[in-house]
Amino acid sequence: MIDLTSPLTFAHGPAMKNRFMLAPLTNQQSHKDGTLSEDEIRWLEMRGQGGFGLVMTAAAQIDLHGIGFPGQLGVYDDRHLPKLTELAAKLNATGTHSVVQLHHAGMRTPHDLIEGPPVCPSDNEEFGARAMTLAEVEKVRDDFIAAAVRCETAGFHGVEIHGAHGYLLCQFLSAEINQRDDQYGGSLENRFRLTQEIIDGIRAACGRDFSVGLRLSPERFGMDLMEVRDVAQKIMRDGKIDYLDMSLWDCFKLPQDEAYQDRDLLGWFTDLERGDVRLGAAGKLTTGETCQKAMSAGLDFVVIGRGAILHHDFPQKIAADANFEPISLPVPVSHLQNEGLGQAFIDYMGRWKGFVDAGEGETA
């Protein structure tokens, strides 16, 4: 049984001091121009101080036209560098492995946040999105790579590429959404090509000590479980990334596809050959017991979302008590304030049913 408090090495960059990774949590605390706010810096720095072996930012937009939500962090312009540099220095001082998640929302870009329609691999009537030209696909590839270089310049230890949750790279991977007939559409190899070129480009443009992770999700958003499993196996055999971060929503649930319900969702990935690539997952890992259960199932690290919102020192609490359980929901606003959430983040969590206690017995 792997100890959650034991260190984890990567092929590139510093080791994680334990097996706890902070999930890239949407918090809407950045300024309108994409620069980090003091609230967002404080939120992340507290997670570093609270013992997370790797602290990752929320999804950061690599293109102004690919914004995913209001208050999103930007890494698409050098004007973002001063605050990014400040955050990297503060995180690195805590001994954590510091990471920025790189993101483009594609067809899921809100219309009211951009001029013109969102872009997508193919025309998409449901989202009112238009197909990208080949030149635009190549520019997005280059924008991901440039953003990674910018993060390295700022002092971060690495980046994670967001290929999950129905955003642009996930849209390219989906045979349902991606109807292109060029080198970025058709076969699984072609549909994964953009993500592969981004990984290769970052590896070529950044230093040998810079880590690269990839986030995938195996269901919903037009994903096929077996195709995602094949991609996961290929990418780990290639050994060009340092870790694969599987976003499962619930690690221990059965797959939606009845043909694959002979094992839980996590089990479809823990048996893959990994080489030097580390495997982690997110999905209802909210207690000491569930974290250890996931590690016992074969993960190298656990990715913590809700537990990290409720307790900035979630790893330290589990280290002190293997059976630790977080505060029950709904939680008072004062508790979230004490845990380093700014008002914009608290307002955002207030839209999650039953999460925030609005007072007088009501929930926000």
Side-chain angles (χ1 to χ4, degrees), residues 196-319:
Q196 185 71 69
E197 289 181 348
I198 290 167
I199 293 168
D200 291 345
I202 293 172
R203 273 279 165 253
C206 295
R208 293 180 61 183
D209 292 330
F210 194 70
S211 70
V212 179
L214 175 65
R215 172 166 264 209
L216 296 174
S217 46
E219 297 186 318
R220 302 164 59 181
F221 309 114
M223 291 293 94
D224 177 88
L225 175 58
M226 288 301 105
E227 284 199 340
V228 175
R229 176 180 160 88
D230 288 346
V231 166
Q233 182 61 91
K234 177 190 183 302
I235 203 71
M236 289 196 284
R237 280 182 178 153
D238 287 349
K240 293 180 180 179
I241 63 170
D242 293 280
Y243 59 90
L244 182 62
D245 165 16
M246 296 302 305
S247 184
L248 305 182
W249 292 283
D250 181 347
C251 287
F252 308 113
K253 81 176 191 70
L254 293 178
Q256 292 176 344
D257 191 327
E258 293 182 0
Y260 305 116
Q261 291 184 346
D262 57 316
R263 61 179 108 166
D264 60 29
L265 200 53
L266 184 60
W268 282 105
F269 296 93
T270 52
D271 67 338
L272 298 176
E273 298 174 23
R274 298 179 204 177
D276 292 329
V277 177
R278 311 306 189 187
L279 177 66
K284 295 191 176 179
L285 303 180
T286 58
T287 67
E289 180 182 3
T290 53
C291 288
Q292 190 59 68
K293 180 181 177 182
M295 293 295 293
S296 298
L299 291 182
D300 296 307
F301 61 89
V302 290
V303 185
I304 307 302
R306 190 176 81 178
I309 295 173
L310 296 173
H311 300 282
H312 76 281
D313 55 351
F314 184 83
Q316 294 171 352
K317 290 190 181 301
I318 290 182

Side-chain angles (χ1 to χ4, degrees), residues 101-115:
Q101 189 191 58
L102 306 181
H103 166 263
H104 190 298
M107 68 185 188
R108 296 187 65 193
T109 300
H111 287 249
D112 60 346
L113 297 181
I114 57 171
E115 294 183 7

Side-chain angles (χ1 to χ4, degrees), residues 108-249:
R108 296 187 65 193
T109 300
H111 287 249
D112 60 346
L113 297 181
I114 57 171
E115 294 183 7
V119 294
C120 189
S122 312
D123 290 333
N124 189 284
E125 184 177 352
E126 179 185 356
F127 285 87
R130 67 165 179 82
M132 299 172 71
T133 66
L134 181 59
E136 287 174 327
V137 176
E138 293 170 343
K139 182 180 184 300
V140 159
R141 175 198 64 203
D142 294 345
D143 286 343
F144 268 95
I145 297 166
V149 171
R150 194 169 285 116
C151 293
E152 184 181 37
T153 300
F156 288 94
H157 293 134
V159 292
E160 179 180 89
I161 300 161
H162 197 339
H165 298 177
Y167 293 119
L168 184 67
L169 299 183
C170 187
Q171 292 159 27
F172 269 89
L173 190 57
S174 168
E176 177 184 312
I177 297 170
N178 182 352
Q179 299 296 313
R180 299 180 72 91
D181 57 8
D182 60 9
Q183 66 265 42
Y184 294 100
S187 68
L188 179 60
E189 179 183 5
N190 282 358
R191 286 180 276 121
F192 186 63
R193 187 181 304 278
L194 177 57
T195 302
Q196 185 71 69
E197 289 181 348
I198 290 167
I199 293 168
D200 291 345
I202 293 172
R203 273 279 165 253
C206 295
R208 293 180 61 183
D209 292 330
F210 194 70
S211 70
V212 179
L214 175 65
R215 172 166 264 209
L216 296 174
S217 46
E219 297 186 318
R220 302 164 59 181
F221 309 114
M223 291 293 94
D224 177 88
L225 175 58
M226 288 301 105
E227 284 199 340
V228 175
R229 176 180 160 88
D230 288 346
V231 166
Q233 182 61 91
K234 177 190 183 302
I235 203 71
M236 289 196 284
R237 280 182 178 153
D238 287 349
K240 293 180 180 179
I241 63 170
D242 293 280
Y243 59 90
L244 182 62
D245 165 16
M246 296 302 305
S247 184
L248 305 182
W249 292 283

Side-chain angles (χ1 to χ4, degrees), residues 59-99:
Q61 52 180 320
I62 56 94
D63 176 1
L64 188 60
H65 198 76
I67 186 170
F69 49 86
Q72 184 174 13
L73 167 63
V75 287
Y76 56 84
D77 194 287
D78 284 350
R79 72 169 179 268
H80 300 133
L81 273 171
K83 282 297 184 181
L84 289 169
T85 302
E86 178 185 343
L87 173 61
K90 288 184 173 180
L91 290 180
N92 295 346
T94 70
T96 194
H97 187 115
S98 57
V99 168

